[in-house]
Amino acid sequence: MRLKTTLLLLLPAIGLIFLFMVIPMLISLLYSFMTANVYGGVTMPLTVDAYVQMLFDQDFSGNLTFMPDYLWIMLRSFYLAVATTVLSLALGFPVAWYIMCQSPARRTLLLTLVTLPFWINTLIRTYCWILLLRDSGLVNGFLQYLGLIDHPLPLLYNQPAVLLGLVYTFLPFMVLPIYATLERLDPRLVEAAYDLYASRWRLFRRVIWPLTKPGIAAGTVLVFAPALGSFLQPDMLGGGKQLLIGSLIEMQFTSSRNWPFGSALAILVTAAVILALILQSRRTKAMEARA
Amino acid sequence: MNVADAVMLSVSGDRTLPEPAPKPLIEISDVEKIFGGGEIRALSDINIAINECEFFTLLGPSGCGKTTLLRMIAGFEHPSSGNIMLAGKDVLSLPPRARSVNMVFQNYALFPHLSVAQNIAFGLEMLNWSKFEISERVAEVLALVRLESFRSRKPAQLSGGQQQRVALARALAPRPQVLLLDEPLSALDLKLRKEMQFELKQLQRETGVTFVLVTHDQEEALAMSDRLVVMSAGRVQQLGTPQEIYGKPANRFVADFIGEANLIPGGLLGRRRDVTLSIRPERIEIATVSSFVKLYGVLKAATFLGADTLMEIEAGGIVVRARLRGAQMAAPGSEIGLCWPDDAEWELRE
């Protein structure tokens, strides 16, 4: 009876995930093993061409030559996702710590401010960065007005601009879980560490860091996963000059009309994220086992 | 155990006699603490000298400022004015980690991610002791608190009493000059609390470290302390040995807070009207000869408590409580005469 009720209550959520996540993933998996239709879509026969295409160039006679172009795109995406995660952590941890140190009323206010960007569409927010960073934008305009520079600085359409956009978008996902663990940290542990002659750095290294690891892990996953597959920021702030895997996937379904390749790439990204999650949960479990 | 017994134990127990001319280790002078822009005076006019190798207690009801004072010694709070000296040095400008003072926190504040041994080693590592010295010292204090077999357990795997002992070991490991204890026994059940009172006292004697204990439990304070200070509303009410504080309370608050006291207006006994006499219930007896009677009253109730009988006698508009040995036969409503030795009377100066 109890189990039945539980299942019944879970049913809508399970159904939703099945319908809108599991089925599309299975479709993607199927498509990635099919042949591209010239006008978009897929046809038979089944093939592994899409996966071969990731690393090899196939000429008309069927000879394979190693082509690292897509590999570079994947590595660049991976690098940007890692850089986004590291920067978000470096910026997000102090913010979470600062919020925790405030009075309860101020905490609520500051947390609202952290989540405030969610109220505005990502597209619009990213477009605002263009207005800020472009040659005739606010930043360059202001610097020229001050007479600090003669010609506008190239702030837009490069990798740092993409990184800025990614960190800006995903920072709240790092701040919130870290704040949640910091809030549960007993302030007397901090006092105990100071009382036992710990310096600020050693307090952080030996007490705060180990005890906030679960929050850091959650934040890392929440930032890394969407950053790896992002295409909005690279397209708009990178000017499409540096292709990332998210944009590449998007292209396969639109201009390139190669659905199998797009599906294969999507499956690859999903696999990478799932792998990261598994590794993460293994580490957490190992830590708990030691605890 | 009632308060009277606690005092007896403290007197007749194997208490080491204080050193001749003890020298003060902690000197608290004219300390004041004002919160909220001058509106709340948490502490005022605090002058206390705590001696070396002493078991000293700050006793008072909650909100009396005793914990604030303890945290000032540790360095977590700063007085608004006044001074605190430790071993002849002004420590007000020093952060907690620069004071050779360690604290046992109320909830123990053990590091949950570290084992018992790692918790104890924490302070030693921060002081950059060598690996060898650390392992020696950890083994030593583990033996001191009898937790040798628990060294690799995590705090969550220990009982409350064991966690308490780990907290003690961790604070004692770096050989502090002073050990501060913030209501260390309040989280333990009654039986364990009694055991730990004894253990704490023994530990203090063995290590020779100055212990400063904060508690609201007067029985605990009387049983363990060499000297104690009774605080109320941010002020020192009385400072002295348990015997002095119990036998010669400085004022109405102390008389009432420490054990039970009958506060009898002087007028009732044919004395000056502006004095109040404090007489402990266990000193009052029923007079067998009418010439001994100091106060006549009517018995309202007699409650048999096992070892004692508690009698409530109405006399001249107040209720006097007398604690008499054994079972006492007297019918409520009967008139009885009370007497007590002269030295049981203590005149309160308001």
Side-chain angles (χ1 to χ4, degrees), chain B residues 147-208:
Chain B
L147 283 175
E148 294 99 324
S149 50
F150 295 91
R151 57 174 303 134
S152 46
R153 293 254 193 119
K154 287 283 162 69
Q157 297 168 301
L158 300 176
S159 71
Q162 288 164 341
Q163 289 184 20
Q164 161 82 78
R165 298 220 292 271
V166 176
L168 273 167
R170 184 179 70 174
L172 282 169
R175 302 185 200 280
Q177 285 180 294
V178 181
L179 188 78
L180 305 174
L181 303 113
D182 185 9
E183 305 244 6
L185 307 179
S186 62
L188 304 177
D189 63 57
L190 188 70
K191 191 167 171 289
L192 204 53
R193 199 150 69 214
K194 299 286 172 207
E195 279 176 37
M196 282 308 295
Q197 281 183 11
F198 181 73
E199 263 186 57
L200 269 180
K201 185 76 195 154
Q202 202 174 3
L203 207 57
Q204 192 265 332
R205 257 187 241 121
E206 277 172 30
T207 57

Side-chain angles (χ1 to χ4, degrees), chain A residues 119-140:
Chain A
W119 292 68
I120 304 161
N121 185 291
T122 318
L123 191 70
I124 295 167
R125 283 188 285 142
T126 312
Y127 196 77
C128 287
W129 277 108
I130 296 181
L131 296 181
L132 286 170
L133 298 177
R134 65 182 175 181
D135 285 0
S136 56
L138 270 178
V139 176
N140 273 318

Side-chain angles (χ1 to χ4, degrees), chain B residues 285-296 337-341:
Chain B
E285 283 165 59
I286 292 170
T288 44
V289 181
S290 65
S291 61
F292 289 171
V293 172
K294 295 197 174 175
L295 186 67
Y296 278 107
L338 302 173
C339 69
W340 51 82

Side-chain angles (χ1 to χ4, degrees), chain A residues 11-258:
Chain A
L11 205 61
I14 292 174
L16 208 69
I17 288 173
F18 187 77
L19 202 65
F20 293 107
M21 203 171 133
V22 178
I23 290 182
M25 293 252 287
L26 289 175
I27 293 174
S28 289
L29 193 63
L30 180 68
Y31 278 14
S32 72
F33 288 106
M34 289 173 83
T35 309
N37 191 331
V38 193
Y39 302 107
V42 286
T43 54
M44 292 308 262
L46 293 176
T47 160
V48 292
D49 276 0
Y51 291 92
V52 174
Q53 204 185 341
M54 286 181 194
L55 290 175
F56 298 98
D57 194 22
Q58 197 168 20
D59 62 21
F60 290 108
S61 44
N63 294 321
L64 294 175
T65 46
F66 180 65
M67 188 194 60
D69 296 28
Y70 293 133
L71 188 65
W72 280 124
I73 292 174
M74 289 171 208
L75 287 178
R76 193 188 298 137
S77 307
F78 186 75
Y79 156 74
L80 265 175
V82 169
T84 304
T85 311
V86 171
L87 277 176
S88 298
L89 180 59
L91 294 171
F93 200 102
V95 171
W97 180 259
Y98 176 80
I99 296 174
M100 189 207 70
C101 296
Q102 304 306 307
S103 66
R106 264 181 73 96
R107 282 187 206 178
T108 318
L109 176 75
L110 290 170
L111 282 177
T112 314
L113 287 178
V114 167
T115 52
L116 199 63
F118 293 142
W119 292 68
I120 304 161
N121 185 291
T122 318
L123 191 70
I124 295 167
R125 283 188 285 142
T126 312
Y127 196 77
C128 287
W129 277 108
I130 296 181
L131 296 181
L132 286 170
L133 298 177
R134 65 182 175 181
D135 285 0
S136 56
L138 270 178
V139 176
N140 273 318
F142 185 64
L143 289 174
Q144 276 176 315
Y145 169 77
L146 289 178
L148 290 170
I149 50 168
D150 295 328
H151 303 286
L153 296 171
L155 297 175
L156 200 56
Y157 307 131
N158 49 32
Q159 197 159 301
V162 175
L163 196 56
L164 176 75
L166 288 173
V167 171
Y168 163 76
T169 310
F170 298 122
L171 191 58
F173 294 109
M174 187 62 90
V175 173
L176 295 177
I178 293 179
Y179 172 78
T181 47
L182 279 178
E183 199 192 21
R184 271 179 289 153
L185 190 79
D186 184 351
R188 270 171 291 202
L189 292 180
V190 176
E191 287 189 346
Y194 276 140
D195 189 58
L196 291 163
Y197 316 107
S199 58
R200 269 163 179 271
W201 166 246
R202 283 167 122 183
L203 161 76
F204 176 75
R205 186 65 205 83
R206 295 290 307 276
V207 179
I208 292 167
W209 179 266
L211 289 176
T212 42
K213 261 187 190 164
I216 293 167
T220 302
V221 169
L222 286 178
V223 172
F224 179 78
L228 188 62
S230 63
F231 61 91
L232 199 66
Q233 296 80 3
D235 267 8
M236 292 176 72
L237 302 176
K241 278 193 291 187
Q242 284 200 313
L243 216 48
L244 292 185
I245 199 157
S247 318
L248 186 65
I249 293 169
E250 187 230 11
M251 274 169 60
Q252 301 314 313
F253 286 97
T254 55
S255 52
S256 299
R257 287 185 191 154
N258 191 344

